[in-house]
Amino acid sequence: MGEWNGLIERASGSSKVVPWSSGSTLTNAHMARIDGKWFVAQFDRSSGDLVTAFVPNNGQVGAMLRLLGK
């Protein structure tokens, strides 16, 4: 769990933030490139609570980068 928390902390400090959702919960997805792989931590837009964290698939990465204008 310590490593997972470290990944979440690193992602939460990223400047790459896009509006996203998890189910019906609107979130801000923080993207970080860690050890050559993308990692995303999503936080509820209203409360700021962590909703989920994951390694995104290529489609998700592409969509998020497009939202960032990349």
Side-chain angles (χ1 to χ4, degrees):
M1 282 301 278
E3 287 181 48
W4 192 252
N5 286 333
L7 292 171
I8 293 168
E9 286 181 25
R10 287 178 65 184
S12 70
S14 174
S15 62
K16 292 178 176 65
V17 180
V18 297
W20 208 251
S21 64
S22 178
S24 63
T25 303
L26 298 177
T27 67
N28 289 318
H30 295 244
M31 301 177 66
R33 192 98 166 135
I34 301 171
D35 296 330
K37 295 181 183 178
W38 286 104
F39 186 80
V40 173
Q42 287 180 254
F43 298 90
D44 186 291
R45 288 187 207 169
S46 332
S47 67
D49 292 338
L50 176 68
V51 174
T52 189
F54 60 99
V55 175
N57 65 39
N58 288 339
Q60 291 167 318
V61 169
M64 289 177 180
L65 290 176
R66 280 192 295 281
L67 287 171
L68 287 169
K70 308 248 180 218

